[in-house]
Amino acid sequence: MGEPRNGIPMPLVLLPMLLFFIVSSSSHLVRASDDAYDAIFYESFDEDFDGRWIVSGKDDYQGVWKHAKSEGHDDYGLLVSEQARKYAIVKELDEPVSLKDGTVVLQFETRLQNGLECGGAYLKYLRPQESGWKPKEFNNESPYSIMFGPDKCGATNKVHFIFKHKNPKNGEYVEHHLKYPPSVPSDKLSHVYTAILKPDNELKILIDGEEKKKANFLSSEDFEPPLIPSKTISDPDDQKPEDWDERAKIPDPTAVKPDDWDEDAPMEIVDEEAEKPEGWLDDEPEEIDDPEAAKPEDWDDEEDGEWEAPKIENPKCEAAPGCGEWKKPMKRNPAYKGKWSAPYIDNPDYKGIWKPRDVPNPDYFDLAKPNFEPIAAIGIEIWTMQDGILFDNILIANDDKIADSYRETTWKPKFTVEKEKQKTEEAATGSDGIAGFQKKVFDLLYKIADNPFLSDHKDKIYDLIEKAEKRPKITIGIIVAVVVVFVSIFFRIIFGGKKKPAKVEKKNTERTEVSNKQADGENEENKEKEEASNAPRRRPRREN
């Protein structure tokens, strides 16, 4: 036992310090425990998913899910283990989660360990299914309330946020897509995606805790189609009058073809003033038989025909102005005018472009906030060309502070380790500066492409960026190409005259359910197959 200090035994002196260290070292565990208690739903995948998550029994879904560790960590997740497969798995909640009252936070992690060239990594938050539905029947047609998460293939590069809403007038469900969603991070690190639904109709999309998009569910500027339909629509029964003239200009009916207008004059005539260049070799052909060519030993005259040597350019013609028969060249006919047509004048009967009259929209409704269907299950239903996609830490909470705490305790430690490892590997290969620069360039270009100002040119810009990601050595060239695109767009807007009017499309009011986008992508991939054929050898043809 230590010596007393000021009359107090040493163990009593050390006891408060020991308690302080115990409390400090376990504070994050206490906080995580409190968060788990406060979360509406949380799945860490620390334990095997078998028996808790149900794999679809539909024949289309042959992809194998695995309970596996994230590369470089002891943390487990739900792994997409095979390439070029469809996957579907679902977890029914103990009780449906209402989206109508208060704040609701949807959050999950994904890690694209082998990258993502073409595929999805999003979640579907399913609404209550029809009576008798079984989790084994989960597929792309299973109705959902919200679809959220990364999707990338070709020109598509976005973090989806789609919600389905029932029209209270006609009972039809309509998909509403977030306009100008953020892009998917272009690396192989762990990332956490958060959607915060506020009671004031505000939506926030966060990636790694950083706000990337803010929207309002009732705004026509933020969702397509808008949640609240137009008050009026074009009258489907209205018809254009037979005497309605939409021609702004018409041929002048009083115009007469001039007497000296020759419609039969040719566009070109022989240049009679031309003279044959000195040194022209009239008797030399432009091509001759290749003197070095030899008949193949396996050439069969009966099967392959009479063999003839291939042609090469006549070397004598290289130093001469030309070979063969000389002919006078053609020149433009100064008397050519072409077919005469009357000039155009303003149409006195012009009435403008006809459009049907507006009538009240029978499907119009107004509401103060969306009438979301509750979340009864969480499903992952994707088609992907890449394996190695890892899902982890799926969370539903009623407070964004809870989601923030989960990011700090579950995602951030992994991300920090992965980031440091990435820097070390880049430094070891001597490409730290270049790779880091390229990464920043790609991230910046994706952010620029997300600007609504460039929405009409987004696909073209994405295509350029993705080419640069696949071939990092041409990054500078791609930057120049993208800059040229930006400058062209800028000058076109400043000096290019009037902006083309946007197309107005009639919305299909038929009942819409989620489209089988993944199947379409798979069919497109399988459409092109390489064919091998052995063409018979043919005798070289001598050109006259």
Side-chain angles (χ1 to χ4, degrees), residues 13-29:
V13 175
L14 296 176
L15 181 60
M17 298 176 62
L18 179 61
L19 291 174
F20 172 78
F21 283 116
I22 293 174
V23 171
S24 299
S25 61
S26 61
S27 62
H28 71 281
L29 297 176

Side-chain angles (χ1 to χ4, degrees), residues 105-157:
V105 183
L106 310 176
Q107 181 170 285
F108 67 97
E109 295 176 23
T110 61
R111 186 180 182 189
L112 311 175
Q113 298 178 121
N114 296 325
L116 185 63
E117 294 296 331
C118 189
Y122 43 77
L123 268 58
K124 290 183 177 180
Y125 299 87
L126 307 185
R127 67 175 186 252
Q129 306 296 296
E130 294 181 357
S131 177
W133 181 83
K134 298 178 181 179
K136 277 284 186 181
E137 299 172 357
F138 175 53
N139 63 7
N140 68 299
E141 296 182 356
S142 300
Y144 63 84
S145 290
I146 292 174
M147 181 173 126
F148 172 51
D151 188 20
K152 184 178 180 182
C153 192
T156 299
N157 184 336

Side-chain angles (χ1 to χ4, degrees), residues 220-254:
S220 61
E221 299 296 322
D222 292 332
F223 285 91
E224 176 63 33
L227 175 60
I228 300 177
S230 173
K231 289 185 178 181
T232 61
I233 59 172
S234 298
D235 185 354
D237 298 324
D238 195 11
Q239 295 183 351
K240 183 173 68 173
E242 294 182 0
D243 61 347
W244 190 281
D245 198 335
E246 294 182 331
R247 299 173 300 165
K249 300 281 186 179
I250 60 172
D252 185 355
T254 64

Side-chain angles (χ1 to χ4, degrees), residues 151-159 181-186 446 450 458 462 466 469:
D151 188 20
K152 184 178 180 182
C153 192
T156 299
N157 184 336
K158 64 180 70 174
V159 178
S183 300
V184 182
S186 57
Y446 275 123
D450 282 336
K458 192 172 183 178
Y462 274 165
E466 289 174 359
E469 287 181 309

Side-chain angles (χ1 to χ4, degrees), residues 364-375:
Y364 170 76
F365 64 88
D366 195 7
L367 40 73
K369 60 191 307 181
N371 186 24
F372 289 115
E373 298 278 355
I375 298 174

Side-chain angles (χ1 to χ4, degrees), residues 401-502:
K401 292 181 180 179
I402 297 176
D404 180 64
S405 177
Y406 270 90
R407 287 195 300 270
E408 290 295 316
T409 57
T410 61
W411 164 77
K412 194 169 184 178
K414 292 185 293 186
F415 180 79
T416 302
V417 171
E418 293 163 11
K419 195 71 174 176
E420 289 300 320
K421 182 180 178 182
Q422 183 185 59
K423 291 181 179 179
T424 302
E425 291 174 349
E426 290 173 351
T429 59
S431 60
D432 184 25
I434 297 176
F437 168 73
Q438 290 172 337
K439 174 66 169 57
K440 291 179 181 179
V441 168
F442 294 144
D443 289 344
L444 177 60
L445 293 178
Y446 275 123
K447 289 180 180 179
I448 294 174
D450 282 336
N451 194 311
F453 173 72
L454 300 171
S455 59
D456 292 340
H457 310 275
K458 192 172 183 178
D459 291 351
K460 183 176 182 180
I461 296 171
Y462 274 165
D463 185 55
L464 289 172
I465 298 173
E466 289 174 359
K467 287 181 180 178
E469 287 181 309
K470 294 176 182 178
R471 300 174 61 188
K473 293 183 180 180
I474 64 171
T475 300
I476 300 300
I478 294 296
I479 294 173
V480 173
V482 174
V483 170
V484 169
V485 172
F486 292 159
V487 172
S488 300
I489 296 170
F490 175 77
F491 277 97
R492 187 177 303 168
I493 292 173
I494 299 300
F495 304 108
K498 296 181 180 179
K499 185 178 179 182
K500 294 182 179 179

